[in-house]
Amino acid sequence: MEYSPALHGLHVVPPPPPPHVKNKLFVFCIMLSLWVYMIYCCLGDGSTVPGRGFERGGGAAAASVESARGARPSRDLLNDNEGGSRGDEWGEDGAWNVLNESESKKLPQAIIIGVKKGGTRALLEFLRLHPDVSAAGAEPHFFDRNYDKGLDWYRELMPKSSEGQVTMEKTPSYYITKEVPARIHAMSKATKLIVVVRDPVTRAISDYTQTRSKKPDIQPFESLTFKNATSGAIDTSWSALQIGMYAKHLERWLRYFPAEQLLFVSGERLIADPAGEMGRVQDFLGLRRAVTRKHFHFNPAKGFPCLKRPEGNGKPHCLGKTKGRTHPNIDPEVVQRLREFYQPFNRKFYQMTGQNFGWD
């Protein structure tokens, strides 16, 4: 086949465009992408498309978007609802905290272990205001009732937390359950433990009041206090009285944990001076003092402090209606007998903790 210049010219590849043409084309593509993105933002993120937030596991993402917009419903921070997680709480600046992808579930580094009717719920909710605390709302009861389910089960009950946050839970019955100290020590001997204590006589009456609200036909407090009417001996098998023997229970904990790993919070001071007690708690946990006096508002009608946004005029959030029940009138002689009964336990407790709680 003969060489043909004309035919050969048909197969000549045209030279590439000059560099400045390439640059203009690149810039044009970027600007076009930006314009498309701006139009998309102006028209909305497509949240109105039916089912968008629930397709392919999108429910959590949709909830996070709503949280970021401040669209979450108002919730009583100090209610008795045992649900909730760190994602539903206020941050230090009053904004909603939103979980992010870097968060994971961890075993607790600190546990509120007691005591029932001492003020554990109030302390937990006060702590949940701290941006560096991630606390479970419900009581897991892992170390006393569900230990056979294993640590993986326990970890799944914890809220997600980010690096640097302290994961916490509270179960008041831990303090008086014999097996719990060894079990927590087996999980981590470095666990920090917090005990909220209260005048044992007042605590026992409060405990009885709660039980009576659920079982109206319960015997009178005076009848349950004594083993029998004639002997006048205190019935220490009644849990309402047994819990207040704080020194006896503490001996068990000190076999596994050094005293510096336990913090004893005064339930009375938690009401009278919540900011002061919270300062001690935050120091114990190694946290900056982010929860301060500006977060509290004392409600004289309820008789205890409520939480408020530090920046804002919203109504303070108070403990739920099950808190602050009116105590029944107890025979003064029975109250005095109980004070005498608890006196040696109280004095020993003061010595063991290095604190005088002023109950005598």
Side-chain angles (χ1 to χ4, degrees), residues 183-202:
R183 290 173 176 178
I184 294 180
H185 187 269
M187 177 188 73
S188 173
K189 59 184 180 181
T191 306
K192 293 186 176 183
L193 308 167
I194 301 176
V195 190
V196 188
V197 289
R198 181 183 181 189
D199 181 331
V201 177
T202 308

Side-chain angles (χ1 to χ4, degrees), residues 19-292:
H20 71 276
V21 175
K22 278 186 176 182
N23 292 340
K24 288 183 178 180
L25 183 61
F26 180 70
V27 171
F28 173 77
C29 290
I30 292 177
M31 292 183 66
L32 181 61
S33 299
L34 289 173
W35 275 107
V36 170
Y37 177 74
M38 290 176 66
I39 293 173
Y40 173 80
C41 291
C42 292
L43 293 177
D45 62 359
S47 59
T48 56
V49 178
R52 172 182 171 88
F54 301 94
E55 294 175 0
R56 291 177 290 182
S64 294
V65 171
E66 290 303 310
S67 177
R69 291 174 176 170
R72 283 187 180 273
S74 173
R75 191 174 74 87
D76 186 347
L77 293 181
L78 290 184
N79 65 14
D80 262 349
N81 183 0
E82 294 296 348
S85 67
R86 182 62 199 149
D88 288 338
E89 296 305 323
W90 289 336
E92 183 186 9
D93 59 355
W96 292 106
N97 288 321
V98 183
L99 299 179
N100 58 58
E101 294 179 358
S102 67
E103 295 179 324
S104 60
K105 294 187 176 184
K106 305 178 184 69
L107 291 171
Q109 296 96 12
I111 304 175
I112 300 174
I113 58 174
V115 297
K116 180 183 178 184
K117 305 309 295 180
T120 58
R121 171 55 55 183
L123 177 61
L124 183 75
E125 297 302 339
F126 293 172
L127 279 167
R128 292 175 80 187
L129 287 178
H130 201 294
D132 296 331
V133 170
S134 180
E139 295 176 3
H141 283 280
F142 172 65
F143 293 104
D144 59 349
R145 300 179 189 172
N146 298 297
Y147 193 63
D148 60 326
K149 295 182 180 178
L151 287 174
D152 289 337
W153 178 87
Y154 183 44
R155 183 187 288 108
E156 280 304 306
L157 297 181
M158 296 299 109
K160 288 185 177 181
S161 61
S162 59
E163 189 67 28
Q165 280 188 312
V166 176
T167 300
M168 296 187 65
E169 68 114 320
K170 77 107 174 170
T171 303
S173 54
Y174 286 166
Y175 187 66
I176 64 168
T177 305
K178 293 180 180 180
E179 300 81 6
V180 171
R183 290 173 176 178
I184 294 180
H185 187 269
M187 177 188 73
S188 173
K189 59 184 180 181
T191 306
K192 293 186 176 183
L193 308 167
I194 301 176
V195 190
V196 188
V197 289
R198 181 183 181 189
D199 181 331
V201 177
T202 308
R203 197 222 65 81
I205 297 172
S206 179
D207 197 337
Y208 172 80
T209 303
Q210 182 183 58
T211 303
R212 194 178 69 165
S213 70
K214 301 174 183 177
K215 300 177 181 179
D217 58 343
I218 189 174
Q219 297 181 53
F221 181 89
E222 292 83 351
S223 300
L224 295 170
T225 298
F226 303 105
K227 291 180 179 179
N228 60 68
T230 55
S231 68
I234 302 296
D235 188 358
T236 57
S237 65
W238 184 26
S239 63
L241 300 183
Q242 190 181 90
I243 292 173
M245 300 160 66
Y246 303 136
K248 181 179 178 180
H249 306 301
L250 180 55
E251 289 176 345
R252 190 183 307 121
W253 286 93
L254 293 178
R255 296 186 196 128
Y256 293 91
F257 294 93
E260 56 267 23
Q261 273 180 240
L262 289 96
L263 177 71
F264 294 89
V265 176
S266 167
E268 288 85 5
R269 287 198 294 268
L270 196 61
I271 294 174
D273 181 20
E277 281 300 278
M278 281 301 298
R280 293 180 61 241
V281 174
Q282 291 170 96
D283 292 347
F284 173 72
L285 295 174
L287 301 171
R288 58 194 173 92
R289 292 195 173 191
V291 182
T292 61

Side-chain angles (χ1 to χ4, degrees), residues 201 221-222 225-236 241 330-345:
V201 177
F221 181 89
E222 292 83 351
T225 298
F226 303 105
K227 291 180 179 179
N228 60 68
T230 55
S231 68
I234 302 296
D235 188 358
T236 57
L241 300 183
I330 306 299
D331 186 338
E333 291 186 10
V334 174
V335 172
Q336 182 58 34
R337 279 285 290 113
L338 283 175
R339 295 211 175 279
E340 293 171 359
F341 167 76
Y342 280 121
Q343 192 173 64
F345 291 102

Side-chain angles (χ1 to χ4, degrees), residues 304-343:
F304 46 73
C306 303
L307 295 178
K308 65 180 181 180
R309 293 177 185 269
E311 306 296 338
N313 299 318
K315 183 179 178 181
H317 296 268
C318 298
L319 286 161
K321 62 182 180 180
T322 60
K323 302 297 182 181
R325 294 186 183 96
T326 302
H327 290 180
N329 293 321
I330 306 299
D331 186 338
E333 291 186 10
V334 174
V335 172
Q336 182 58 34
R337 279 285 290 113
L338 283 175
R339 295 211 175 279
E340 293 171 359
F341 167 76
Y342 280 121
Q343 192 173 64

